Amino acid sequence: MRATERNPNVLQCCQRKGILSLLEKMDHHLELCRKSLLNHLEKRRQKFPRFYFLSMEDVLHIVCNGYDLNMANLYLPKLFENMGRLEFEEAPEDLEAQFQVTGVLSNMGEKLPLKQMVVCDGPIENWLAVLIPTIKASLQQQLVSALNHQAAEVTGVKKVKRDIHSAGARRVTVLKDDNKGAQISRSGSRADSRNEKPEVSESTETSSRSWMLDNAAEVVHLATQIQITDQVEKCLKAVDGGDKEAIKEAIAKVDQSILAAVVMMKGIEHEEERKARIRRRRELLNKEGNI
């Protein structure tokens, strides 16, 4: 190679004695290096199967730059759906790691603070395997907080624990209303609720704002679905028990929840806007009644 560097003429270099066997030997060594590298990357993939979502070239880059989270953030969106990047900070001096992950940012800029910081210690596939259950635990913590907050909004009702399950997830314990204590005041409050319009007070708006904006959007969506499903289930049981007004009460609660979300997003509704909304709803109900 030094002779070729001194004399870069191709024809003269190819006519040198023993050049063919030398090139074949070098090619054989390069092939051995390539196979060893592929075997090494395959072992890294087996430790963290999400690496199979990446090409070998991307796996090589993320493995080589795993110590630099700024470089690793370029490839993490390919491993985790809708992930923008990881938020991190420098690790304390008593830790051998250089960084620790504090949160996750989505593509839309929504932040999920981690329940526990993940120390970026060792190969990247090691702490990425710890990151996944930490993200799940953080989402479950937000879901429990959202469900418990919704349950706490109901006053004068005793809370009991119940477990909810989801496919592939762990058991999550939340608070549930104890209907034994609520049955006493239910009949007395119906007469007033039938004649009252659904209004959103300042305290309700502030309460909704706190838990809706402090949690991830998907967690808020799931918690709202659980709440509405629970209300509909109670409504159907009440109808079976002979309460003909239960459906109207359930619809009023849903309307109040929607109105609270609208107030949170666009502010308090003016009188003209409220009248226009009521008018549009009546027109819609009239059309459905004529069908």
Side-chain angles (χ1 to χ4, degrees), residues 241-254:
D243 185 5
K244 298 181 180 180
E245 300 294 331
I247 296 180
K248 293 183 179 180
E249 293 179 6
I251 294 177
K253 291 181 180 179
V254 173

Side-chain angles (χ1 to χ4, degrees), residues 17-290:
K17 294 182 179 179
I19 188 65
L20 179 60
S21 59
L22 179 62
L23 292 177
E24 289 178 347
K25 184 178 180 180
M26 294 175 62
D27 181 68
H28 176 68
H29 289 165
L30 287 175
E31 184 65 20
L32 292 178
C33 292
R34 188 184 72 86
K35 290 181 178 180
S36 299
L37 178 60
L38 292 179
N39 291 333
H40 176 70
L41 295 179
E42 182 64 22
K43 292 179 180 179
R44 306 290 284 266
R45 277 179 161 181
Q46 291 176 359
K47 290 183 179 180
F48 190 68
R50 284 179 179 259
F51 280 160
Y52 284 102
F53 296 153
L54 304 178
S55 64
M56 277 296 186
E57 183 178 359
D58 288 343
V59 174
L60 178 61
H61 287 167
I62 196 173
V63 166
C64 294
N65 298 298
Y67 63 92
D68 186 359
L69 289 188
N70 290 316
M71 293 295 297
N73 275 331
L74 300 176
Y75 301 95
L76 291 180
K78 297 181 180 180
L79 299 176
F80 302 94
E81 185 178 4
N82 199 35
M83 176 183 285
R85 62 185 179 87
L86 295 177
E87 279 203 337
F88 57 92
E89 61 183 24
E90 293 186 2
E93 296 181 356
D94 56 342
L95 297 178
E96 297 181 358
Q98 186 177 2
F99 301 104
Q100 56 185 5
V101 181
T102 59
V104 180
L105 283 178
S106 69
N107 290 330
M108 304 299 294
E110 188 177 30
K111 181 180 178 180
L112 173 66
L114 295 182
K115 181 179 179 181
Q116 183 178 2
M117 293 185 183
V118 177
V119 179
C120 304
D121 186 17
I124 186 172
E125 65 270 15
N126 290 350
W127 59 264
L128 280 180
V130 179
L131 178 65
I132 294 178
T134 305
I135 293 176
K136 291 181 180 179
S138 302
L139 290 172
Q140 289 177 349
Q141 183 184 36
Q142 284 199 1
L143 178 60
V144 171
S145 175
L147 292 176
N148 288 344
H149 182 87
Q150 288 181 344
E153 291 179 354
V154 182
T155 59
V157 179
K158 184 181 178 181
K159 304 294 185 291
V160 295
K161 291 186 177 181
R162 68 184 177 96
D163 296 332
I164 60 174
H165 304 266
S166 61
R170 294 178 295 177
R171 177 180 300 178
V172 181
T173 303
V174 300
L175 296 178
K176 185 179 181 181
D177 301 342
D178 188 358
N179 293 329
K180 294 180 181 180
Q183 293 291 339
I184 301 175
S185 60
R186 175 177 294 179
S187 59
S189 62
R190 280 179 190 150
D192 297 334
S193 62
R194 294 169 193 166
N195 299 324
E196 292 181 356
K197 297 179 181 179
E199 298 179 355
V200 180
S201 62
E202 184 178 355
S203 59
T204 303
E205 178 189 353
T206 305
S207 179
S208 299
R209 181 185 297 274
S210 62
W211 79 269
M212 284 187 177
L213 298 183
D214 291 345
N215 297 306
E218 290 297 328
V219 172
V220 174
H221 185 206
L222 179 57
T224 304
Q225 286 182 323
I226 294 175
Q227 180 191 34
I228 294 178
T229 302
D230 186 57
Q231 291 178 359
V232 172
E233 183 180 358
K234 292 179 180 179
C235 171
L236 295 177
K237 290 181 179 180
V239 171
D240 292 338
D243 185 5
K244 298 181 180 180
E245 300 294 331
I247 296 180
K248 293 183 179 180
E249 293 179 6
I251 294 177
K253 291 181 180 179
V254 173
D255 288 343
Q256 186 176 4
S257 300
I258 295 175
L259 186 57
V262 172
V263 170
M264 182 189 66
M265 297 301 296
K266 58 182 297 188
I268 299 176
E269 188 180 35
H270 297 291
E271 185 66 21
E272 296 180 356
E273 294 178 348
R274 189 181 69 84
K275 291 181 179 180
R277 176 177 58 81
I278 295 175
R279 184 174 61 254
R280 289 193 299 269
R281 183 177 179 183
R282 288 176 178 174
E283 293 176 354
L284 180 61
L285 293 176
N286 292 334
K287 290 181 181 179
E288 293 179 353
N290 295 331

